[in-house]
């Protein structure tokens, strides 16, 4: 596809690359075999998958498993399938249009609409960062007895660690993310072995039940799981970091890049599905079946794992996984913040300043709530952060579906008719369920 054809759909030529400091910085071997090429493209999918296993997901998964057993596994599976489709659209937009979702919005919408979209997106990133701050502080408290208030303050240091790592190259960040995912995966594999869940109820839970919709309490947690799973900032992030690969910017090169990036994304998101499902399965096998159905937060789960499973290692592994989850999400959340500000506003701040602003926006409310309300307040704040993310989701999904469905913008890479229908249905479901969640949150029946 030529840039001349692209200019028909885009009003302005691209003025700058997305994440210019790492754009096209990772080489793709030209005449290598399938596996070598796949390994070269592997990485962005894992960084996106991190957002699907952040501390915000833990609260909804634990509550769902403890209260309703394995029934809501089907919601995690459906949410994950939605995510796989949407992340495919995101990487396709980045590869074909050579601009991230924020840059695409800046080109397509008028300045007022763009400013509103940017504000919504910044709120969502701050909400996500809030979940990471609280999750990391809780993990530090559980592992080392550090008071929550000090745990929140310590998370500010994350910002400078990320800055140091990015200076080492994008592959270093991807490797650290992959390492932390392996830690989380290993911890939950151990928890599942300890909790000895029944296989047949798990398989039955993967099949959608009508009570998920008819039982208001189950529906509320189910929508919370959807809101915590499909993350709006991930759509901006993926459309940018997929461009770190130095593939041929030709029609054939882009086709190959889409193929390998989609494999990377899909495999990574199935890994995220396993971890989310594992949290719910451990909660169901440990709490639901022992009559502890009122366990609703991370602190309760940590306290009760050791006595029920008969080993203190269960609680330690749980807290280690939570810390790894918080640190991982911090890495990707701050990158998304940079992409969004540069894409929507074309403002380039020094990376350390951008990250410090994002982190302080999250740390200040977390610090205030921790000082005033303590442990209970942080749990409520964690749930609120997921509701805020749900509110923002449609503002990212609908533009993405519009752009990738436009022949003028995407040329021969435009979504096929069956995909157009599918993604509009997904966008509609997300919009309706999130409106319901908002009404139930602020005007409970």
């Amino acid at each position: 596809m030529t840039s001349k054809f692209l200019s028909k759909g885009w009003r302005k030529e691209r003025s700058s690359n997305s994440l210019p400091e790492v754009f096209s910085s990772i080489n793709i071997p030209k005449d290598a075999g399938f596996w070598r090429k796949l390994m070269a493209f592997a990485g962005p999918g894992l960084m996106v998958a991190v957002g699907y296993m952040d501390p915000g997901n833990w609260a909804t998964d634990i509550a769902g498993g403890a209260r309703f057993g394995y029934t809501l596994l089907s919601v995690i599976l459906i949410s994950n399938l939605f995510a796989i489709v949407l992340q495919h659209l995101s990487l396709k937009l980045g590869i074909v249009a050579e601009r991230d979702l924020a840059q695409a919005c800046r080109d397509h919408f008028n300045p007022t609409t763009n400013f509103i979209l940017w504000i919504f997106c910044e709120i969502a990133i701050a909400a996500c960062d809030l979940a990471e701050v609280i999750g990391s502080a809780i993990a530090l408290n559980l592992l080392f007895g550090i008071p929550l208030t000090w745990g929140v303050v310590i998370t500010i240091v994350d910002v400078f660690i990320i800055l140091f790592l990015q200076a080492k190259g994008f592959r270093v960040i991807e490797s650290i993310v992959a390492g932390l995912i392996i830690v989380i995966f290993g911890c939950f594999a151990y928890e599942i072995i300890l909790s000895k869940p029944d296989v047949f109820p798990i398989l039955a839970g993967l099949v959608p039940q009508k009570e998920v919709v008819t039982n208001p309490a189950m529906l509320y947690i189910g929508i919370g799981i959807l809101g915590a799973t499909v993350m709006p900032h991930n759509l901006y992030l993926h459309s940018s970091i997929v461009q770190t690969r130095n593939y041929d910017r030709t029609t054939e090169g882009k086709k190959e890049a889409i193929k390998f990036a989609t494999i990377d994304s899909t495999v990574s998101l199935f890994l995220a599905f396993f971890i989310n499902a594992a949290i719910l399965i451990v909660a169901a096998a440990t709490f639901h079946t022992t009559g502890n159905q009122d366990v609703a937060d991370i602190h309760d789960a940590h306290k009760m794992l050791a006595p029920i499973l008969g080993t203190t290692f269960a609680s330690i592994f749980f807290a280690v996984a939570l810390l790894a989850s918080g640190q991982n999400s911090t890495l990707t959340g701050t990158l998304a913040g940079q992409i969004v500000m540069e894409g929507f506003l074309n403002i380039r701040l020094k990376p350390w300043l951008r990250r410090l602003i994002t982190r302080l926006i999250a740390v200040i409310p977390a610090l205030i709530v921790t000082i005033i309300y303590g442990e209970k307040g942080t749990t409520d704040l964690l749930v609120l952060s997921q509701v805020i993310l749900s509110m923002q989701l449609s503002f990212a999904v609908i533009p993405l579906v519009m752009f990738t469905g436009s022949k003028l913008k995407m040329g021969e890479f435009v979504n096929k008719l069956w995909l157009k229908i599918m993604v509009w249905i997904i966008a509609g479901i997300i919009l309706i369920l999130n409106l319901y969640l908002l009404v139930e949150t602020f005007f409970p029946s």
Side-chain angles (χ1 to χ4, degrees), residues 91-131:
L91 69 88
K92 188 163 80 165
L93 177 71
I95 289 167
V96 175
E98 295 182 31
R99 54 187 86 206
D100 58 53
L101 180 56
Q103 289 173 327
C105 287
R106 188 172 90 234
D107 181 273
H108 182 84
F109 297 114
N110 63 49
T112 307
T113 305
N114 267 316
F115 186 76
I116 292 166
L117 286 173
W118 171 67
I119 292 290
F120 280 144
C121 200
E122 289 289 358
I123 290 168
I125 288 168
C128 196
D129 214 33
L130 191 60

Side-chain angles (χ1 to χ4, degrees), residues 30-239:
K30 298 288 181 214
D31 302 314
F34 175 87
W35 292 106
R36 265 194 72 201
K37 282 201 173 178
L38 182 59
M39 290 312 294
F41 275 101
L46 282 174
M47 294 190 69
V48 166
V50 163
Y52 294 90
M53 52 180 101
D54 81 328
N57 292 54
W58 288 48
T60 51
D61 293 339
I62 289 168
R67 288 188 66 182
F68 305 113
Y70 303 112
T71 310
L72 291 174
L73 273 176
S74 60
V75 177
I76 294 179
L77 178 61
I78 291 165
S79 299
N80 222 70
L81 294 174
F82 283 6
I84 285 168
V85 174
L86 293 173
Q87 293 302 158
H88 166 71
L89 297 190
S90 175
L91 69 88
K92 188 163 80 165
L93 177 71
I95 289 167
V96 175
E98 295 182 31
R99 54 187 86 206
D100 58 53
L101 180 56
Q103 289 173 327
C105 287
R106 188 172 90 234
D107 181 273
H108 182 84
F109 297 114
N110 63 49
T112 307
T113 305
N114 267 316
F115 186 76
I116 292 166
L117 286 173
W118 171 67
I119 292 290
F120 280 144
C121 200
E122 289 289 358
I123 290 168
I125 288 168
C128 196
D129 214 33
L130 191 60
E132 272 105 63
V133 166
I134 293 169
S136 296
I138 290 171
L140 290 169
N141 174 253
L142 299 177
L143 283 170
F144 308 112
I146 295 170
L148 283 176
T149 310
W150 282 108
V152 168
V153 173
I154 287 168
T155 61
I156 298 173
V157 179
D158 295 349
V159 178
F160 301 103
I161 295 170
I162 293 162
L163 197 67
F164 171 76
L165 292 173
Q166 195 170 349
K168 299 287 181 187
F170 205 71
R171 262 305 198 198
V172 173
I173 291 184
E174 290 179 348
S175 302
I176 289 166
V177 165
L180 289 170
I181 288 175
I182 290 167
V183 170
I184 300 167
F185 187 89
C187 288
F188 275 105
Y190 174 78
E191 300 277 354
I192 284 183
I193 291 164
L194 273 187
S195 60
K196 300 184 180 71
D198 295 324
V199 175
F200 290 111
I202 290 173
L203 294 175
L206 292 170
V207 179
Q209 306 293 322
K210 68 174 182 187
E211 61 183 319
V212 173
V213 179
T214 56
N215 179 336
M218 202 179 283
L219 180 63
Y220 183 76
I221 292 179
I223 298 170
I225 289 171
L226 174 70
T229 302
V230 186
M231 291 283 188
H233 72 276
N234 266 340
L235 301 175
Y236 294 96
L237 178 71
H238 207 173
S239 61

